[in-house]
Amino acid sequence: MAKTTVHLVVGIEEFTLLVFYTEAHCWQFRLISPAGAVRSERKIYYTAEAAQKAGREWIGNGS
């Protein structure tokens, strides 16, 4: 079974930003909208900070 580690869950504007690590895909982020839709780029980031920055940029750009 694959292990997932949640690093950050934070509310920004109307979104919830989730940053997590998996062995198969390194660091990633997901945005959860107020309606419950999950959005992401499915890119791999090599640090939690890089994934968080990308998620915050998505929110700033109006995702």
Side-chain angles (χ1 to χ4, degrees), residues 2 9 12 14 20 22 30-31 39-40 49 56 58:
V9 178
I12 302 173
E14 71 271 9
F20 62 96
T22 66
R30 298 291 185 271
L31 297 177
R39 302 175 186 174
S40 69
E49 292 78 15
R56 288 178 181 273
W58 253 53

Side-chain angles (χ1 to χ4, degrees), residues 8-29:
L8 174 75
V9 178
V10 64
I12 302 173
E13 297 179 14
E14 71 271 9
F15 293 95
T16 300
L17 172 61
L18 173 69
V19 176
F20 62 96
Y21 179 86
T22 66
E23 293 176 0
H25 301 290
C26 294
W27 292 100
Q28 296 184 18
F29 74 88

